[in-house]
Amino acid sequence: MVGERLQQLLDKALATLSVDASQQARQRLEARLRELSAELFLEWVTGERRFESQTQQTEHWIARFYEEIFPDEQPVGTVLYERFGLPLPRANYIARLLRTRRAAQWRDAARQELMTMLEACREKAKTASATGQGIFEIDISLSAGAADELRVQFDRYCAAVPPEKRPRPPKAKPSLGTTRWFGVPADTVLLLLDFPNKGDK
């Protein structure tokens, strides 16, 4: 009976934690969920880790899941809401805490998201630029972390070129929830796509 109840809980957790997860993350969940859950609980039982508030405990537990199960993601409030059943305001707050306190850890995922979104616009941007419509704005949506990366990468590019060669900046658009929408000029899309590659050489 106990084993049956545990399996029911594991199956339920696998289903909710798999929401919007990559195939690799789903595989890690299946391999690690039972062990990681037991470790987190036993840390509390033995007094190895005790917390001053429920928020601290929740932040630590979710951080461990992101470190071990979802390392290719950055915390987003709506995803925490879906996966962990948190109220949306609290989920947004914890996502901000995690991104702020572990900024270096999440930046790689945020940068990769930004470059993936820009790469998806490459052909449209090339067509617009080739027909003299380099200021044509292409709409892209980003998570909060990737939106910060867009601002950082744009500032990096502007700092590396003379003032007269600085491109038009992305334009922030009205957004809902944690998603950030921008209109990025076609020429700016192409410059940002090529700039990191040049910087790495």
Side-chain angles (χ1 to χ4, degrees):
M1 192 68 179
V2 174
E4 185 178 315
R5 171 62 174 158
L6 178 59
Q7 190 59 52
Q8 289 175 349
L9 289 170
L10 283 169
D11 291 343
K12 183 178 180 180
L14 280 170
T16 56
L17 291 170
S18 294
V19 171
D20 293 331
S22 66
Q23 183 60 38
Q24 293 82 359
R26 290 190 179 98
Q27 291 171 355
R28 286 190 291 267
L29 267 172
E30 292 175 2
R32 286 279 294 138
L33 179 58
R34 183 190 294 260
E35 182 181 342
L36 177 58
S37 300
E39 181 183 339
L40 293 174
F41 179 67
L42 290 173
E43 283 180 346
W44 178 81
V45 167
T46 60
E48 185 174 318
R49 280 189 178 273
R50 290 287 169 86
F51 303 91
E52 294 181 4
S53 69
Q54 189 178 25
T55 296
Q56 286 182 353
Q57 183 181 56
T58 302
E59 180 195 353
H60 172 71
W61 284 4
I62 292 177
R64 287 290 304 278
F65 270 87
Y66 270 85
E67 289 164 4
E68 298 196 26
I69 308 296
F70 310 111
D72 53 343
E73 298 182 28
Q74 54 179 318
V76 177
T78 50
V79 176
L80 299 190
Y81 168 83
E82 291 283 355
R83 286 183 183 159
F84 296 95
L86 298 172
L88 188 56
R90 190 171 180 217
N92 287 330
Y93 174 70
I94 290 176
R96 286 196 301 272
L97 282 180
L98 290 172
R99 289 196 304 268
T100 299
R101 295 180 185 177
R102 296 167 174 82
Q105 179 180 335
W106 314 126
R107 268 200 77 181
D108 285 343
R111 188 181 297 114
Q112 183 60 48
E113 177 192 341
L114 171 63
M115 299 313 292
T116 298
M117 295 299 294
L118 291 176
E119 186 62 47
C121 301
R122 184 188 289 273
E123 291 307 314
K124 184 186 292 187
K126 285 172 66 175
T127 300
S129 185
T131 56
Q133 300 180 70
I135 64 172
F136 171 73
E137 292 181 355
I138 300 173
D139 289 342
I140 64 171
S141 62
L142 301 168
S143 66
D148 289 342
E149 279 299 308
L150 174 61
R151 298 182 181 96
V152 168
Q153 296 304 324
F154 181 78
D155 284 348
R156 280 185 62 236
Y157 183 86
C158 289
V161 299
E164 65 272 14
K165 292 188 177 181
R166 291 172 183 168
R168 287 176 175 265
K171 183 184 296 182
K173 296 194 168 188
S175 303
L176 181 65
T178 58
T179 301
R180 304 288 184 266
W181 281 90
F182 294 87
V184 186
D187 284 345
T188 304
V189 169
L190 298 175
L191 291 171
L192 292 178
L193 277 168
D194 292 339
F195 179 61
N197 295 330
K198 291 177 181 177
D200 292 341
K201 293 179 181 177

